[in-house]
Every structure is written in structure tokens, then in C-alpha cells.
Amino acid sequence: MPLLERAAQFAPFAALTGHGAALAETARLTDSKINLADSERSELDQMLQQLRSQFNPHPTITLVYFQPDSRKAGGTYCEYTGTIKRIEEDQQQFLFVDGTIVPFVEVIGMEIVEA
């Protein structure tokens, strides 16, 4: 038997190709979405109204929001600080100078850093 064929007999056999990736995906943790109380939602609405009525059209704010996971149920909570480019009322979202988009419905916390 030629040496090359003989070496092929002992090559590793990957019967479970992709199994490690599937296990890693299953082990990856996600959070469930928090439903805000009416009073908390009302506070966020008041802060949004304050942002709309400010003289500075591009304030800097910090948001805590839910980022849904694209592969499995749940998601993660993110904190983001940035300068608002505009508040898109028709789309119900914040658009930031760096291109980040955060939907109103995903926001659970807001702080105006620089008005």
C-alpha cells in the first residue's frame, strides 16, 4: 500500500462536525425582556417629552435597552451613551450620530447626560 493511502487510514474522523458550535450556542445565555410598570413607562414618556422640547437639538443621553437575540428567545440588556441625531417619531426610534438606532419600545432606562 502506498504511504499516502496508508496515512489516510489514520486521518481524524469528524463525525460530529458542527456539534461543538451547536453546544456553544445552546450554552449561550440570554435574558428575558422586562415589562415595565405603568409608572416607569410614564417616567420614560416624560423624559422623551423633555428631550423633544429642549433647545439643544442634539443632546447626549444614556439609554438602557433590550437587544433581542437573532438566534434564540430572549436577548441582552445594553447600556449606550451617545449624541442624538434625531428622534424619529414615525419610526418610534432614536437615531444617534454614529448610526446606532434604538427603538422606543426596547428602552427601560434613560438619563440625559448633556442637554
Side-chain angles (χ1 to χ4, degrees):
M1 177 182 289
L3 191 58
L4 186 60
E5 288 179 22
R6 196 170 161 183
Q9 291 179 346
F10 301 103
F13 175 66
L16 300 176
T17 302
H19 183 66
L23 285 176
E25 178 63 24
T26 302
R28 189 171 56 85
L29 299 176
T30 58
D31 295 321
S32 56
K33 188 173 180 180
I34 297 171
N35 291 324
L36 295 178
D38 289 339
S39 61
E40 294 169 319
R41 181 61 57 196
S42 177
E43 285 180 39
L44 288 174
D45 288 342
Q46 288 175 357
M47 292 186 82
L48 184 57
Q49 290 299 330
Q50 183 181 353
L51 282 174
R52 289 178 181 132
S53 65
Q54 285 187 359
F55 293 113
N56 180 1
H58 306 291
T60 300
I61 64 171
T62 297
L63 296 178
V64 176
Y65 65 97
F66 183 73
Q67 178 72 45
D69 195 295
S70 61
R71 294 189 193 145
K72 58 196 290 189
T76 59
Y77 282 93
C78 306
E79 184 173 311
Y80 175 79
T81 300
T83 302
I84 294 178
K85 183 174 183 178
R86 70 177 167 266
I87 298 173
E88 298 181 332
E89 299 294 339
D90 57 331
Q91 303 273 333
Q92 295 289 298
Q93 63 190 12
F94 295 101
L95 176 61
F96 291 89
V97 173
D98 67 357
T100 301
I101 296 173
V102 179
F104 293 169
V105 297
E106 303 298 351
V107 176
I108 64 161
M110 183 185 330
E111 179 182 346
I112 300 172
V113 177
E114 182 183 313

